[in-house]
Amino acid sequence: TVSKEPISFHLLVDRQANRRTADQRIRHGMGSKQAKAKSDCEEGDMVGNNLLADAPPEANVHRVQCDIGNLDLRVALSTMLVASPVSVVAVGKHICGAASDLSLNCCVQAAKAWQRPDRMSESVSIQGVAFALCCHHVCEWSKYVGREWLIGHGLNEEDFNSMRWFSKLAHTQYRQRNSCCVGEKLSKQWKPQPSKVSDRGNSVGARAAAARAELGHLCKRLIDEGRMAFLVREGWDCRLVRFVHRETSPENL
């Protein structure tokens, strides 16, 4: 079931310093709802009192600057959350390479820690994770959570490194298509008639780019399948979902 309760607490984890735009957007978004409810009350709205009463509280945003591999999520949250039952959802936007594996392991270890009998009184549980994966070419074998799955299918570290390299090819077709679009805009006023030879060459190049992109996507999928196998082994129900069209972002899983 999906709760309609507003998110009252946000824990942001970053490895390096940043502009803190996410903090401002979260606080501003919650504050605008409160301001609207207050404005409706001042205008004498018949249901103004209910609107103000139902307005979500100001969002509590806390930022932790550390490597996700060194973060103990249970400890980080235990000193910030109230005693009432709390459900935690981990969200990551384009977590590059090895950071995806470190983040998955961080969430799994925290969930296992909260399930221990001596910590059931903490009333905190991880309900799920939603990560947008990217940059498979910078994954690391030592941090990859799907090693056991790959080894079980006859693949080793050398094969993994090959897949990392080939995963870069997944975007070749996308980059070629973008460059063609730019070329069309630049040559809009002058369009020479293409010859049959050039047409044949373009089609061969397009097919080659498509084949390279397909190989890259297969390598990325194998790496992600190993991650899913890790979550399934730990008792999680998971799946890969395309959340945007590839034209919007080639990293759309």
Side-chain angles (χ1 to χ4, degrees), residues 27-156:
R27 291 193 179 99
H28 181 268
M30 299 296 286
S32 63
K33 294 179 181 179
Q34 287 182 313
K36 183 180 183 302
K38 184 177 181 180
S39 175
D40 290 338
C41 291
E42 292 175 351
E43 291 175 1
D45 194 329
M46 293 180 63
V47 292
N49 292 332
N50 291 334
L51 284 173
L52 188 59
D54 296 338
E58 182 179 354
N60 185 5
V61 182
H62 186 82
R63 184 179 291 274
V64 175
Q65 185 174 331
C66 74
D67 192 313
I68 189 68
N70 299 325
L71 176 67
D72 187 330
L73 190 59
R74 187 193 66 82
V75 174
L77 291 176
S78 61
T79 58
M80 306 173 191
L81 298 176
V82 295
S84 58
V86 175
S87 298
V88 177
V89 177
V91 179
K93 178 179 179 293
H94 287 176
I95 309 178
C96 294
S100 297
D101 301 293
L102 294 174
S103 300
L104 288 173
N105 188 62
C106 175
C107 294
V108 168
Q109 296 305 319
K112 292 169 65 174
W114 274 315
Q115 291 173 357
R116 287 175 48 181
D118 59 331
R119 289 174 178 164
M120 294 297 289
S121 60
E122 294 182 9
S123 301
V124 180
S125 62
I126 294 184
Q127 297 298 314
V129 299
F131 291 160
L133 309 170
C134 77
C135 302
H136 295 68
H137 61 283
V138 292
C139 292
E140 299 178 22
W141 177 256
S142 60
K143 298 179 177 62
Y144 179 57
V145 295
R147 294 192 303 270
E148 183 176 330
W149 183 82
L150 285 183
I151 294 174
H153 285 78
L155 301 174
N156 55 26

Side-chain angles (χ1 to χ4, degrees), residues 231-249:
L231 291 174
V232 171
R233 188 175 70 249
E234 295 292 340
W236 294 59
D237 180 20
C238 58
R239 57 177 177 151
L240 288 173
V241 178
R242 287 188 174 88
F243 59 91
V244 294
H245 194 275
R246 189 170 290 172
E247 295 292 337
T248 303
S249 171

